[in-house]
Amino acid sequence: MKPLRGQPSFGSLRELTRVVGNDCAVEIDTNSYSVPWRLSGERVVVTVAAGEVRIRHGLHQVAVHKQAEGRRLRIIDSAHLDGVAGRNGAVRRAEIAAAVPGSSPPPSLLRPLAEYEAVIGGSF
């Protein structure tokens, strides 16, 4: 067999269908590869060949990653997470966080425990 149009031979090419998870990634062979966050919940086609993982949505290629050599790894392109809340730490903006008072003292009891004891007829 000869490679066609730059495609590797049959034995080294795999094409899979996956659904993008809530973590903006698809799982291939126990490894997780990032996909642009707007595609969460969408069906994508994944091609694994020549040491690369190529991810397509419809006719558009949306991600290309080097195939991971280990197991249970997470390969992330940070550009895929641009626009995700909390990507760079706390979700609150700095000016909102500054307006929130620091630690407030814990609220004290509104009534002494003796009043509750009197209502139930004695101490515990």
Side-chain angles (χ1 to χ4, degrees), residues 22-71:
N22 291 337
D23 61 349
C24 308
V26 292
E27 188 174 318
I28 310 294
D29 300 331
T30 73
N31 294 317
S32 182
Y33 297 89
S34 70
V35 177
W37 67 272
R38 288 186 169 93
L39 295 176
S40 287
E42 295 288 324
R43 189 173 302 278
V44 294
V45 176
V46 180
T47 305
V48 180
E52 287 186 329
V53 175
R54 295 181 175 273
I55 304 168
R56 293 187 331 266
H57 182 254
L59 299 174
H60 303 286
Q61 182 170 287
V62 294
V64 178
H65 298 281
K66 182 181 175 198
Q67 188 175 4
E69 295 179 13
R71 295 295 220 190

Side-chain angles (χ1 to χ4, degrees), residues 50-103:
E52 287 186 329
V53 175
R54 295 181 175 273
I55 304 168
R56 293 187 331 266
H57 182 254
L59 299 174
H60 303 286
Q61 182 170 287
V62 294
V64 178
H65 298 281
K66 182 181 175 198
Q67 188 175 4
E69 295 179 13
R71 295 295 220 190
R72 294 176 182 78
L73 299 176
R74 194 162 165 77
I75 295 77
I76 299 174
D77 180 347
S78 62
H80 293 161
L81 303 177
D82 284 346
V84 174
R87 173 180 178 250
N88 296 322
V91 176
R92 291 188 287 176
R93 285 182 270 162
E95 61 270 13
I96 294 173
V100 176
S103 61

